[in-house]
Amino acid sequence: QVQLVESGGGLVQAGGSLRLSCAASGRIFSINTMGWYRQAPGKQRELVARITSGGTTTYGDSVEGRFTISRDNAKNTVYLQMDSLKPEDTGVYFCNADIGVLSFAVRVSDYWGQGTQVTVSS
């Protein structure tokens, strides 16, 4: 009914840049906070960045100043611009959003994408 699809991951050299996109589709009534999380091999999932419907942003300490989150409400899409990438940024990046879904009534639920791999080489 509702899907989040990430794109833009890949392999990049240290110091390079990538731009991730996540598009939500389905019977969407509203999209509230959207964000990005990542998980490196053998490590816990951590917050990368999130943005409210009003545009307020929050960043994880390790990416502050290097990554920028933005959204296009008309396209139901959130972006993550990643600059000055480091090898420790390597991991699977997951899109997350709390979405009001049209059903018998509007129900707000938390949704996750399947993830996109980001690999930063030395």
Side-chain angles (χ1 to χ4, degrees), residues 3 8 11 19 21 27 31 42 48 64 80 89 93 110:
Q3 295 184 36
L11 175 65
R19 187 170 188 257
S21 299
R27 295 180 58 81
I31 302 179
V48 177
E64 184 80 44
L80 184 69
D89 294 318
Y93 284 67
D110 197 51

Side-chain angles (χ1 to χ4, degrees), residues 3-7 21-25 34 36 75-78 95:
Q3 295 184 36
L4 298 178
V5 180
E6 302 101 333
S7 62
S21 299
C22 172
S25 62
M34 305 184 78
W36 292 92
K75 296 181 181 293
N76 292 333
T77 299
V78 63
C95 178

Side-chain angles (χ1 to χ4, degrees), residues 73-95:
N73 292 328
K75 296 181 181 293
N76 292 333
T77 299
V78 63
Y79 306 94
L80 184 69
Q81 178 67 43
M82 304 185 292
D83 298 319
S84 301
L85 283 162
K86 305 174 181 179
E88 51 262 45
D89 294 318
T90 294
V92 179
Y93 284 67
F94 297 93
C95 178

